[in-house]
Amino acid sequence: RFFEDAYIDRNTVSSVMVRAGVGDAPVTATKISSGQLDVTLYATDSTLAPGNRTSLVFDVVPRKGMHLYAPGAGHYKVIGLTLTPQPFVTVDPMRYPASERYTFKPLNETVPVFVKPFRLIQPLHVEATPQAQAALRDKTSLTVSGSLDYQACDDKVCYNPSSIPVSWTFNLRALITERPVPQR
């Protein structure tokens, strides 16, 4: 169940489906590869209005023999998204799947990691305050950008932390405040 505090603030259907784990959004995805991972990323919606809650999705596949650090990994760089602050866009906490425990015997160290393919979901909210509606009224698009940051290691080498630049441009539409009249 998804509850909102006000009728204007709404989760989009595609975002609800992805967060509930019942499908992928019908949008175009981007594929990016590095020496340590492959990632397919997309936003659940291409068009937003003030009050919409959407999600950015990252399907991550570590390369064979690699592990990526998960929340709780201490001084290692945990995989996550750093977004450039954007007026009237609120970033909710990243949603992480369960991780595995990895023990590196030479250092007698056990840390949480991702070894198998996994999905990260970053919820976003376009604010619907009167100030946000006024600021967005004449805009036709909204761009959200940042970087996917991570650190990957294998059984012998721990690579330097890396960042992959990411960006999404959403079409903007006006907030619908009246019910449509059914046609007979």
Side-chain angles (χ1 to χ4, degrees), residues 7 13 36 38 43-44 52 54 59 82 84 127 151:
Y7 77 94
V13 172
Q36 296 87 30
D38 297 309
T44 56
N52 282 165
T54 189
D59 289 324
T82 303
T84 304
E127 296 175 11
Q151 185 172 13

Side-chain angles (χ1 to χ4, degrees), residues 78-93:
V78 172
I79 188 166
L81 182 63
T82 303
L83 290 175
T84 304
Q86 176 80 7
F88 309 114
V89 175
T90 303
V91 180
D92 295 332

